[in-house]
């Protein structure tokens, strides 16, 4: 146990030293106006480099990512069907699908899934 504690302390000290060293050496010290401005073939840009951001598209993308991650959580449940009995499998699977459907209906009622406003 003491060996494990000392090795953990040594690893934490090495990590802390590396983080501090990298933060010191990686900072940009010279801020040049030309380097921080947007680059357009060597000329000054004609318009703003920032494009308008669609918040609705961002929400749809986040909802997609959430449901995509939850689909990946379903794969181990399907594989564990061989190891568990059918009643436990159905209870867990049904509860998971109900939680997904509640989230989907909530987003639908909030209007996050309708594209046109």
């Amino acid at each position: 146990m003491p060996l494990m504690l000392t090795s953990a302390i040594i690893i934490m000290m090495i990590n802390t030293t590396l983080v501090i060293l990298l933060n010191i050496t990686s900072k940009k010290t010279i801020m040049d106006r030309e380097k921080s401005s947007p680059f357009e073939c060597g000329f000054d840009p004609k318009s703003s480099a920032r494009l308008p951001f669609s918040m609705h598209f961002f929400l749809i993308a986040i909802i997609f990512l959430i449901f995509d991650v939850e689909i990946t959580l379903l794969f181990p449940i399907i594989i564990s069907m061989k190891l568990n009995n059918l009643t436990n499998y159905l209870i867990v699977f049904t509860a998971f699908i109900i939680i997904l459907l509640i989230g989907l209906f909530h987003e639908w009622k909030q209007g996050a899934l309708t594209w046109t406003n």
Side-chain angles (χ1 to χ4, degrees):
M1 187 67 164
L3 179 64
M4 199 151 122
L5 184 63
T6 56
S7 63
I9 291 172
I10 290 172
I11 290 172
M12 288 178 62
M13 287 174 45
I14 291 172
N15 284 339
T16 305
T17 307
L18 286 176
V19 167
I20 291 171
L21 183 68
L22 288 174
N23 279 333
I24 290 172
T25 59
S26 69
K27 296 288 183 189
K28 290 171 103 178
T29 57
I30 300 172
M31 288 300 292
D32 190 14
R33 185 183 73 84
E34 292 297 324
K35 287 184 180 179
S36 63
S37 67
F39 183 72
E40 194 171 308
C41 299
F43 301 103
D44 289 332
K46 293 181 180 178
S47 63
S48 174
R50 302 282 181 190
L51 297 175
F53 182 73
S54 172
M55 190 64 170
H56 190 74
F57 180 75
F58 176 74
L59 288 175
I60 293 291
I62 293 296
I63 291 170
F64 170 75
L65 284 176
I66 289 171
F67 281 105
D68 192 38
V69 168
E70 289 171 350
I71 293 296
T72 60
L73 291 176
L74 285 176
F75 288 131
I77 293 175
I78 294 170
I79 293 172
S80 71
M81 184 176 162
K82 296 176 187 175
L83 304 173
N84 295 335
N85 60 2
L86 190 59
T87 56
N88 287 343
Y89 171 75
L90 286 177
I91 290 171
V92 170
F93 190 74
T94 306
F96 192 79
I97 295 296
I98 287 173
I99 291 171
L100 282 178
L101 288 176
I102 289 171
L104 179 66
F105 288 135
H106 175 71
E107 293 295 328
W108 194 357
K109 286 221 167 224
Q110 293 291 324
L113 299 178
T114 55
W115 191 254
T116 57
N117 288 334

